[in-house]
Amino acid sequence: MPLPKKSTKTRLIKAALDLFAERGVTETTTKAVAERAQVNEVTLFRHFGNKHGLLLAVMEDSAVFAKLGQALLEQADPKVSVSQALKDYAEISLQALDRVPKLVRSVVGEAGQYPLENRLALGQGLTQANNHVAKHLAEVIAGVGWQSRFPTEKLASFLNSLLLGYFIIKSTSEGDELWEGQDDFLESLVELFLHGAIEPPMETNAIPRKKIVLDQVVDLPANLVRDILQRAKKLGRQDYALAYLLFGAGLSVKEIVNLKRSHLITEHNQHLLQIDSDTKRQVLLNKWIMGFRYGSSSSNPATQWLKSRKDNQPEMFITQEEKSMSEQELLASWQVLTEGFVLPNGQTPTIEQARQTWCVEMLMKGIKLEDLGILSGLAVEELQPYAQRAREKLAIEQAGLLDQKKSKSS
């Protein structure tokens, strides 16, 4: 039987991907793409509008960067050492990039000239790659009993950034004498991760390592938090409850996916959460978040979600198949909640920033650092950057009040 004929749109995307890889985005014309796909150039415009629209379709369809994470899945063998898994993944990733060097250089080098939707598509592709790698990186590390000193999402982003940066430098410049070759770079990369980012299980008589303290806190603006919560409310009760716990209780990803229905406690006209993680504690669910009220003494997004449930699953958050929600699925929900939102620095909000935002807001409301440590499960030294950020925001507020008084007296 003859093979089914590919659609015009599919042929155009395939032709564009091939030409972008051969010539780069700038040197590829819509006419050349149309000729390669054996269609009229008008047909290309009818489907995609212009070359940037075509590039957007190529990014979404091919997911060049997002597919790199599959390499680590193939290395997630408990018999393979962490160092070997990292090196194998790095080699496979660089080989994948090396197959389309012009496309990578062109997409990265010209990204500043793209419309916002193209930059968002590129960012989403990189985020997908990081999330995919984070999941399997966690499996590799846990499989040998090691642990990461950072959230695996950040670890994956750091790893991919180093690989992409090395590839860009290697493929665009000559005479770099820092590395003797790719093997030298990979060995240094693995060494950096093994001795700086991940660590073996601590021996019983070993001296505990000092906890990592954040150098900088990037909390989210109040209007963005409001937009995320409003979008969550429109998406459904579970999404609304998830966003509410992120910003109203400051929980980590691991803590949220481990919540049970029974962990929600109502007493003395307030709602509490029992957290059974490494730091067992109770956390109050805030009624007010960044100037807006989301709950009352009898009801809030979390209680409304649980009351609407018809299943018998003990987990607080579940999938559509009524199974316990995984960390990866929670991260996917966060992507939906924040899709299209961009911070002043041009980056998309990360789920860790929800907890940072909660910590900063609690300090601005006047809670003591030691008490916040009890609620958050974080050590006081880990909370110092949050205290600094809270002081910065309070200083700005104070300056604003003084400016208003000056305006009234003038």
Side-chain angles (χ1 to χ4, degrees):
M1 293 179 63
L3 294 174
K5 187 176 181 181
K6 294 182 179 179
S7 69
T8 301
K9 186 175 182 180
T10 299
R11 296 206 314 275
L12 283 167
I13 291 176
K14 176 62 168 58
L17 177 60
D18 291 343
L19 286 171
F20 288 157
E22 293 172 11
R23 308 177 184 178
V25 177
T26 300
E27 299 301 321
T28 299
T29 64
T30 53
K31 182 179 179 181
V33 174
E35 289 177 350
R36 177 72 66 93
Q38 297 181 339
V39 300
N40 191 288
E41 191 175 7
V42 175
T43 303
L44 183 152
F45 294 140
R46 187 170 65 248
H47 280 284
F48 305 105
N50 53 36
K51 187 166 72 173
H52 281 135
L54 179 59
L55 175 59
L56 179 62
V58 169
M59 289 179 182
E60 293 174 343
D61 183 78
S62 64
V64 174
F65 296 107
K67 290 180 180 177
L68 294 180
Q70 188 65 25
L72 193 63
L73 174 61
E74 298 168 358
Q75 303 303 324
D77 184 343
K79 298 179 181 179
V80 176
S81 67
V82 176
S83 60
Q84 190 61 49
L86 283 170
K87 187 174 182 180
D88 289 344
Y89 167 71
E91 287 180 336
I92 293 172
S93 297
L94 290 176
Q95 289 170 7
L97 293 169
D98 207 34
R99 284 194 287 270
V100 286
K102 289 186 178 180
L103 174 61
V104 177
R105 289 197 301 269
S106 186
V107 167
V108 175
E110 301 168 24
Q113 305 172 27
Y114 300 157
L116 176 60
E117 59 181 351
N118 290 80
R119 298 199 302 274
L120 287 173
L122 179 59
Q124 289 167 7
L126 291 171
T127 299
Q128 289 172 17
N130 289 335
N131 290 340
H132 191 67
V133 172
K135 177 182 177 181
H136 301 300
L137 189 59
E139 292 177 5
V140 172
I141 295 172
V144 292
W146 287 39
Q147 59 186 2
S148 172
R149 301 176 68 194
F150 300 92
T152 49
E153 294 78 18
K154 290 185 176 180
L155 204 61
S157 177
F158 183 43
L159 175 59
N160 283 335
S161 296
L162 288 174
L163 291 171
L164 183 58
Y166 172 77
F167 176 80
I168 293 296
I169 293 173
K170 186 186 74 169
S171 60
T172 57
S173 61
E174 297 290 344
D176 180 13
E177 299 178 355
L178 184 59
W179 309 106
E180 295 180 4
Q182 182 170 301
D183 287 341
D184 182 29
F185 169 76
L186 293 177
E187 289 178 5
S188 300
L189 176 69
V190 171
E191 191 75 9
L192 173 65
F193 271 76
L194 291 181
H195 296 285
I198 55 180
E199 57 189 2
M202 190 183 303
E203 297 180 3
T204 305
N205 59 352
I207 300 174
R209 286 180 180 239
K210 185 178 180 181
K211 290 185 177 180
I212 297 297
V213 179
L214 292 174
D215 293 327
Q216 183 181 13
V217 171
V218 184
D219 56 309
L220 302 179
N223 63 328
L224 178 56
V225 173
R226 176 67 172 171
D227 288 342
I228 293 173
L229 283 160
Q230 289 294 92
R231 175 179 288 182
K233 185 176 182 180
K234 293 178 181 178
L235 288 172
R237 289 185 176 179
Q238 174 161 270
D239 289 291
Y240 196 24
L242 280 170
Y244 173 61
L245 293 193
L246 284 167
F247 290 108
L251 303 186
S252 68
V253 171
K254 181 179 179 181
E255 288 170 344
I256 285 183
V257 298
N258 287 334
L259 283 174
K260 308 293 184 185
R261 290 187 183 193
S262 58
H263 289 167
L264 183 60
I265 305 168
T266 301
E267 60 177 34
H268 306 303
N269 295 322
Q270 61 186 10
H271 298 282
L272 306 172
L273 280 177
Q274 177 67 42
I275 310 301
D276 290 336
S277 62
D278 298 334
T279 55
K280 296 183 183 297
R281 64 192 193 280
Q282 289 187 344
V283 182
L284 176 71
L285 290 177
N286 292 341
K287 298 183 181 71
W288 291 88
I289 301 174
M290 306 293 281
F292 289 91
R293 185 163 185 161
Y294 295 91
S296 66
S297 59
S298 60
S299 179
N300 59 49
T303 60
Q304 292 168 7
W305 158 238
L306 293 182
K307 287 179 181 178
S308 71
R309 295 265 295 273
K310 305 299 182 184
D311 61 275
N312 296 318
Q313 295 299 323
E315 290 80 12
M316 184 172 291
F317 296 109
I318 56 176
T319 64
Q320 292 182 346
E321 294 77 22
E322 295 186 358
K323 295 180 180 179
S324 177
M325 178 176 285
S326 67
E327 292 186 25
Q328 189 67 18
E329 287 162 337
L330 175 55
L331 292 173
S333 295
W334 174 261
Q335 286 184 354
V336 174
L337 291 176
T338 58
E339 184 177 2
F341 294 142
V342 181
L343 297 174
N345 61 9
Q347 298 180 346
T348 55
T350 65
I351 198 167
E352 293 83 9
Q353 287 174 300
R355 192 183 199 194
Q356 293 183 14
T357 303
W358 174 80
C359 286
V360 172
E361 185 182 20
M362 292 295 288
L363 288 166
M364 291 184 67
K365 287 179 177 179
I367 195 170
K368 294 180 180 179
L369 208 60
E370 293 78 7
D371 292 336
L372 181 59
I374 294 172
L375 293 179
S376 66
L378 299 173
V380 173
E381 61 267 24
E382 293 179 280
L383 291 171
Q384 290 297 337
Y386 297 100
Q388 177 61 31
R389 176 58 180 155
R391 286 193 291 270
E392 291 173 0
K393 295 188 72 172
L394 287 170
I396 293 173
E397 286 188 5
Q398 184 64 27
L401 292 173
L402 292 173
D403 186 60
Q404 290 178 14
K405 290 181 180 179
K406 182 66 177 178
S407 299
K408 292 178 181 177
S409 61
S410 299

